[in-house]
Amino acid sequence: MIVILSKGISVHDKGMIRAFLEERGFSLREQTLGDDEIIGAAGKAALDIQELTLLPGVERVAATSKPFELASRETKSGDSIVTVGPVKIGGSRISIIAGPCAVESQEQILETAERVRESGAVILRGGAFKPRTSPYAFQGLGMKGLEYMKTAGEKLSMPIVTEVVSPEWAAQMKDLTDMFQIGARNMQNFELLKKVGALGKPVLLKRGPSATIEEWLLSAEYLLASGTRDVVLCERGIRTFETYTRNTLDISAIPVIKRLSHLPVIVDPSHAVGIRNMVSSAGLAAIAAGADGLTVEVHPRPDAALSDGPQSLYPSQFERLMRDIEALAPVVGKELLRTPRAGTKLTSGVETPVSAEGTLPLSDKIAFSGESGAYAEQALMRAFGEDAPRLACSSFSGLFDAVLEGSAGFGVVPVENSLAGSIHENYDLFLRYPDIAIVGELKLRIVHCLIAHETAALDTIKVVRSHSQGFAQCKDFLDKYPWRLESCYNTAAAVASILKESELERPTIAAIAGEAAARAHGLTVIKEGIETNPLNYTRFVIISRKNNGDIAPAPPSMGSGKPNKASLVFSVSDKPGSLITCLKIMSDRGINMIKLESRPIQGQPWRYLFYVDVSLPKADGEFDFVLEELKTKTEDFHFLGAYRGAL
Ligand code: PEP
Ligand code: MN
């Protein structure tokens, strides 16, 4: 049984709770679980739970129906987010761990770390102590290997995870690693679990090759009960009768764990299938099934690897896998977490100075438009984390003002929907705010719901409120009903407006918005997924204020490596061929244009501005020439920013 204590409980009240339980023969253990302080009570004595719940300082009592308690979702309903150095695992992010099976030399681990980081891995893996089936196989470099790994991790600002195989080594390894891995073969080595758990560091717990899910969760329970609060589960294939793959990846373990436990679960497709060309498919399947991340073996020269070469990806295969995960992430409502980039030099002479730790510049608040539960707020959480401090703005221009004045360090602005097209108001704002730059981009899958008060039903509704884009995206559904449509400035505001109506009116009003908006305002989802086409995505850009005229800091965790996309706006003179001249400047230098849109110039009838998005070339400097040339051939030229584009 777990007693969750109220925040800021007094010493006296805690003492009373302890005494109450001890008098009844329970043995107690105090610890933290996520943000909560708890008392774990073990024993068989009968107890009046109601009486315990009423004691001052008791927030909640969780008497679970499962043999695992700390790991159970009955104890903690929200998802636990595990922190490993600057990296978070769980919630709405996908975190990828990559590296070689074993550390083989300083050069090998450094080279692999550089390659996997460049592709977007956020944690470096590598075994220094290798549990091998054969006593004659390479056993790892031991503590020396761990030192090599630490050096590589520090050099590239990546936390590291490495396997601990015996309780004797655990304490010595503690200061060198950021996360311990308990390997599949040791999942039920209870002395090891107790020892490692007591060290308090994050632990990656592999599933044993023949362990049931319950046994696996009980091993997690050992770790949590021994003192660590950060456990990530890792499915890595179980032993079945099948022999074509090394093990059988138990994909269904992911949704089962999600239902049973609040702990993050990742998948190791490398050890699961054991064959290089099948690793990526298995990894993508795991992400599609809801895994919070992957751990993948990558080696710069797999054929020369001292262990697990046949299942290690070439860096180019890993790069491809990361791109596929990035494309898949919005489908499952997640965002691929990337290593914060450090002081990248951009083309066009714009610098993005962000510290390696990814600390936020200016105000730490992030502005979004709309009310709690808005899609923009979801996009914000994807880009900056669930607990990012935020500033809700009631209009898009208010959001630009907040970023310009510095009351928000960044803003999250929708610019385009895959079904309904550009959000022109925001494109136009970039021209009114020349000191604001685009510094990042992300794509959010939009699943619209019909939301109403619990007293409403499809046949009581007369009016539906939403943003005009919401109506456009749900046209086929709305065409079936005779409802009056009322436009609001934001989908979440439409949801909030229902509660301002009288009780009599409430059953007659519905709103179209995301499920999060229904949750935020305590309303009911009458129908989910009412958008005409499920391939419905909104592209958001992250904006920031330029410092010293041209320096705009990039948001942390919005893409590693160089910017690969830029946005510009220009007008051209009113004569034949002036637009084609500008487009030719780009094509002559091999610049791929990904979007071209014209907008009327305010106050100048029948004259237009051209909005252009381009892919940036790999070669530094090439784009600078294009910008210089374009400036000479256009009439009004604005560079909106260079950033890491979402796929
Ligand atoms: C490993 O990750 O290097 C490893 C040995 O994995 P497992 O314990 O899953 O076999
Ligand atoms: Mn391995």
Side-chain angles (χ1 to χ4, degrees):
M1 179 178 54
I2 309 283
V3 183
I4 295 117
L5 305 175
S6 310
K7 300 254 179 298
I9 182 175
S10 67
V11 177
H12 172 265
D13 287 350
K14 199 192 282 181
M16 295 299 283
I17 297 167
R18 286 191 66 104
F20 178 92
L21 290 164
E22 273 163 351
E23 274 164 23
R24 287 159 181 79
F26 285 93
S27 59
L28 307 184
R29 194 185 59 236
E30 275 182 44
Q31 63 183 95
T32 50
L33 180 65
D35 297 333
D36 294 322
E37 239 190 294
I38 62 166
I39 297 178
K44 293 217 177 305
L47 175 89
D48 181 349
I49 300 250
Q50 185 65 13
E51 205 183 334
L52 173 61
T53 310
L54 289 174
L55 290 182
V58 173
E59 177 71 32
R60 193 159 57 85
V61 178
T64 65
S65 57
K66 304 284 182 312
F68 45 88
E69 294 199 328
L70 295 168
S72 170
R73 216 180 253 290
E74 291 175 39
T75 308
K76 183 174 187 287
S77 60
D79 290 336
S80 277
I81 309 242
V82 164
T83 304
V84 186
V87 173
K88 288 192 159 76
I89 305 177
S92 64
R93 55 185 74 67
I94 294 171
S95 315
I96 307 295
I97 303 172
C101 176
V103 185
E104 297 168 2
S105 66
Q106 182 66 81
E107 296 71 36
Q108 173 252 15
I109 188 69
L110 201 53
E111 183 183 356
T112 317
E114 277 164 4
R115 302 296 296 267
V116 298
R117 187 191 198 276
E118 182 63 26
S119 298
V122 288
I123 298 180
L124 177 66
R125 64 145 286 147
F129 295 90
K130 295 302 303 173
R132 304 303 300 280
T133 308
S134 161
Y136 308 117
F138 173 60
Q139 303 285 311
L141 299 181
M143 289 305 283
K144 192 88 223 141
L146 186 49
E147 277 160 27
Y148 292 154
M149 236 189 128
K150 184 172 163 61
T151 305
E154 277 174 358
K155 196 142 185 233
L156 292 153
S157 306
M158 288 175 93
I160 62 173
V161 56
T162 196
E163 179 164 354
V164 52
V165 292
S166 80
E168 295 93 89
W169 286 106
Q172 269 196 64
M173 293 169 74
K174 180 177 174 232
D175 293 333
L176 294 174
T177 190
D178 300 290
M179 185 182 212
F180 283 112
Q181 176 172 316
I182 302 281
R185 289 154 198 83
N186 269 318
M187 188 204 85
Q188 284 189 312
N189 181 341
F190 301 116
E191 288 314 306
L192 181 65
L193 295 174
K194 283 193 263 182
K195 180 82 191 193
V196 171
L199 293 175
K201 285 228 149 175
V203 183
L204 181 65
L205 177 65
K206 295 269 191 111
R207 179 181 181 183
S210 53
T212 63
I213 291 175
E214 186 154 307
E215 285 165 343
W216 184 18
L217 285 170
L218 279 163
S219 291
E221 190 76 11
Y222 261 97
L223 290 166
L224 293 167
S226 309
T228 183
R229 47 189 282 182
D230 290 318
V231 176
V232 176
L233 299 161
C234 179
E235 159 64 38
R236 45 77 75 201
I238 49 175
R239 184 158 290 189
T240 67
F241 49 80
E242 183 50 66
T243 54
Y244 272 101
T245 49
R246 181 170 172 178
N247 291 288
T248 298
L249 176 56
D250 182 8
I251 285 281
S252 54
I254 303 160
V256 172
I257 289 288
K258 287 277 165 211
R259 190 166 57 79
L260 292 178
S261 177
H262 53 87
L263 297 174
V265 57
I266 70 163
V267 165
D268 171 352
S270 309
H271 292 88
V273 298
I275 304 162
R276 183 178 310 126
N277 289 340
M278 299 179 187
V279 167
S280 296
S281 321
L284 287 170
I287 298 297
D292 298 298
L294 302 177
T295 172
V296 185
E297 287 188 346
V298 181
H299 197 289
R301 287 162 296 281
D303 294 340
L306 297 182
S307 61
D308 284 349
Q311 69 192 31
S312 300
L313 295 187
Y314 286 97
S316 57
Q317 288 177 306
F318 180 65
E319 166 74 24
R320 170 73 204 267
L321 171 62
M322 291 300 282
R323 291 179 63 78
D324 288 348
I325 294 172
E326 195 162 11
L328 178 58
V331 178
V332 288
K334 291 189 179 164
E335 181 78 12
L336 178 66
L337 182 72
R338 284 180 173 276
T339 306
R341 55 190 150 120
T344 319
K345 173 89 174 72
L346 301 189
T347 52
S348 82
V350 181
E351 293 263 344
T352 58
V354 155
S355 70
E357 304 81 50
T359 46
L360 295 180
L362 305 169
S363 159
D364 62 351
K365 285 216 179 93
I366 325 288
F368 72 102
S369 65
E371 312 214 356
S372 184
Y375 289 114
E377 191 187 34
Q378 287 176 47
L380 181 159
M381 291 193 281
R382 294 279 159 75
F384 296 91
E386 286 85 350
D387 34 14
R390 53 201 86 157
L391 180 72
C393 303
S394 57
S395 67
F396 290 127
S397 58
L399 187 161
F400 274 70
D401 280 336
V403 175
L404 187 68
E405 287 156 10
S407 44
F410 294 106
V412 179
V413 182
V415 287
E416 186 175 10
N417 175 267
S418 60
L419 299 180
S422 292
I423 296 149
H424 292 124
E425 179 185 353
N426 288 336
Y427 272 104
D428 293 343
L429 281 169
F430 281 107
L431 302 184
R432 282 184 28 212
Y433 290 81
D435 285 334
I436 298 285
I438 301 178
V439 295
E441 181 186 57
L442 85 156
K443 199 171 78 170
L444 186 79
R445 181 170 173 202
I446 304 294
V447 178
H448 284 306
C449 301
L450 188 72
I451 295 165
H453 190 254
E454 58 187 9
T455 52
L458 281 176
D459 54 6
T460 62
I461 295 168
K462 293 195 170 54
V463 173
V464 178
R465 295 178 184 155
S466 190
H467 187 270
S468 54
Q469 287 255 346
F471 294 138
Q473 293 161 28
C474 300
K475 187 168 180 320
D476 285 6
F477 174 76
L478 289 171
D479 280 352
K480 291 189 221 145
Y481 299 92
W483 298 329
R484 198 173 76 237
L485 306 183
E486 287 180 5
S487 204
C488 296
Y489 84 96
N490 172 267
T491 55
V495 174
S497 76
I498 297 175
L499 291 170
K500 294 181 191 136
E501 300 292 341
S502 68
E503 259 177 50
L504 206 65
E505 288 293 313
R506 280 182 195 168
T508 67
I509 319 251
I512 293 177
E515 200 230 325
R519 245 185 295 123
H521 298 282
L523 292 174
T524 307
V525 171
I526 294 197
K527 195 158 169 52
E528 196 189 3
I530 58 170
E531 63 278 6
T532 302
N533 187 328
L535 291 177
N536 185 10
Y537 296 94
T538 293
R539 207 159 59 79
F540 289 84
V541 291
I542 315 283
I543 60 169
S544 177
R545 187 181 71 194
K546 296 176 186 169
N547 295 331
N548 311 324
D550 66 351
I551 297 176
S557 76
M558 281 300 295
S560 56
K562 278 200 222 153
N564 55 7
K565 189 170 174 183
S567 298
L568 4 144
V569 186
F570 55 79
S571 61
V572 292
S573 57
D574 186 15
K575 57 177 196 246
S578 52
L579 176 60
I580 199 104
T581 306
C582 295
L583 301 187
K584 198 159 175 309
I585 293 172
M586 292 191 254
S587 73
D588 283 351
R589 297 234 179 226
I591 305 280
N592 186 26
M593 190 170 64
I594 34 191
K595 178 172 173 170
L596 171 65
E597 185 164 17
S598 62
R599 287 279 299 144
I601 302 178
Q602 308 277 310
Q604 297 183 38
W606 324 127
R607 303 237 23 228
Y608 299 90
L609 275 168
F610 296 99
Y611 282 80
V612 176
D613 286 348
V614 297
S615 295
L616 289 179
K618 283 228 157 70
D620 268 340
E622 195 69 10
F623 191 55
D624 294 337
F625 289 118
V626 170
L627 290 181
E628 287 315 310
E629 269 186 79
L630 278 177
K631 280 182 199 158
T632 64
K633 298 283 188 247
T634 51
E635 291 203 330
D636 193 10
F637 184 87
H638 306 266
F639 179 71
L640 301 187
Y643 49 94
R644 186 92 192 160
L647 288 174

